[in-house]
Amino acid sequence: AQSVTQPDIHITVSEGASLELRCNYSYGATPYLFWYVQSPGQGLQLLLKYFSGDTLVQGIKGFEAEFKRSQSSFNLRKPSVHWSDAAEYFCAVGSNQAGTALIFGKGTTLSVSS
Amino acid sequence: GAVVSQHPSWVICKSGTSVKIECRSLDFQATTMFWYRQFPKQSLMLMATSNEGSKATYEQGVEKDKFLINHASLTLSTLTVTSAHPEDSSFYICSARVVRNEQFFGPGTRLTVL
């Protein structure tokens, strides 16, 4: 079955500390992988995406993610978290086939402490 | 990047009435749009895939007669919640597929049914 697992429901990180959000996927075809961020009551903003090539991808707001095919993982990282990063983070997987929707993980809530 | 708008951003209606939500791709054409539903503190669940000029494809468990989807043009898809009930209260988000299955999301519509 196709699925995305985000093992951590809620993470609290001190401002300035590093962050890693985990994402594992199960997908039959070549996966296209995404990380989105959602602030309360808002829509989704794309942080970064991986289609092919370099397995370390850079995104907006200083985020990066590494695709590891052998581990079926696409973990999101940031070296120094800012208070404004507090939000809900969703990992998603899709294919290159027309008409296919993304499959989302359940999300990880990030809290930032001062 | 591509911009997707939704209207209205929030709506309150009485039980038994119908509500229409519009999803527009502002600067590109989208042959495929997706409608998601998100309950508080939960992930996005795909409701249906909307294809321009043809019938929408609904996910299992989604009532097609209750959630009417029309994709009459390459830039507009509408979701009508018919005979809305309090349990239909949710955050509805649309997305439009661009190349490589990258999807751009609308800002969402908060529906509250009294």
Side-chain angles (χ1 to χ4, degrees):
Chain A
Q2 300 174 346
S3 65
V4 176
T5 301
Q6 294 180 245
D8 305 305
I9 297 174
H10 191 178
I11 285 182
T12 299
V13 176
S14 298
E15 190 170 16
S18 63
L19 169 71
E20 181 171 33
L21 301 182
R22 296 182 291 167
C23 173
N24 293 94
Y25 66 91
S26 174
Y27 203 70
T30 300
Y32 287 171
L33 295 154
F34 307 84
W35 274 99
Y36 289 90
V37 61
Q38 183 182 37
S39 297
Q42 302 295 312
L44 297 175
Q45 181 180 24
L46 178 68
L47 285 176
L48 47 78
K49 58 185 182 287
Y50 172 78
F51 292 148
S52 65
D54 193 345
T55 57
L56 183 64
V57 294
Q58 303 296 322
I60 63 171
K61 303 184 179 184
F63 286 93
E64 67 177 27
E66 185 171 13
F67 171 59
K68 294 185 176 180
R69 185 184 299 276
S70 61
Q71 298 178 19
S72 297
S73 68
F74 189 57
N75 295 347
L76 181 71
R77 299 194 293 253
K78 186 170 184 177
S80 178
V81 169
H82 188 261
W83 65 266
S84 59
D85 293 325
E88 189 80 13
Y89 290 80
F90 293 98
C91 179
V93 65
S95 82
N96 62 348
Q97 294 182 356
T100 58
L102 297 181
I103 299 170
F104 284 85
K106 292 186 181 298
T108 298
T109 301
L110 173 65
S111 297
V112 180
S113 60
S114 56
Chain B
V3 178
V4 176
S5 70
Q6 278 185 245
H7 178 80
S9 56
W10 59 270
V11 58
I12 301 173
C13 69
K14 293 182 178 180
S15 183
T17 61
S18 295
V19 174
K20 179 185 285 188
I21 303 170
E22 293 184 350
C23 176
R24 294 181 184 272
S25 56
L26 297 185
D27 50 0
F28 65 100
Q29 294 181 332
T31 56
T32 302
M33 291 185 175
F34 303 95
W35 287 95
Y36 295 84
R37 183 174 181 177
Q38 185 182 30
F39 290 107
K41 304 290 187 181
Q42 295 190 26
S43 187
L44 282 74
M45 299 301 296
L46 179 67
M47 298 176 66
T49 301
S50 170
N51 296 297
E52 188 268 336
S54 64
K55 291 184 178 180
T57 303
Y58 290 83
E59 295 299 299
Q60 190 173 8
V62 178
E63 299 175 59
K64 62 180 180 181
D65 295 330
K66 180 170 185 60
F67 298 100
L68 301 179
I69 292 174
N70 183 281
H71 194 157
S73 78
L74 288 172
T75 58
L76 173 64
S77 176
T78 61
L79 168 68
T80 301
V81 183
T82 63
S83 188
H85 288 92
E87 56 265 30
D88 298 324
S89 299
S90 189
F91 194 53
Y92 293 88
I93 303 176
C94 72
S95 72
R97 179 181 180 273
V98 193
V99 295
R100 288 183 169 183
N101 207 25
E102 182 171 350
Q103 294 181 23
F104 289 89
F105 288 82
T109 297
R110 173 75 58 195
L111 171 62
T112 301
V113 184
L114 302 176

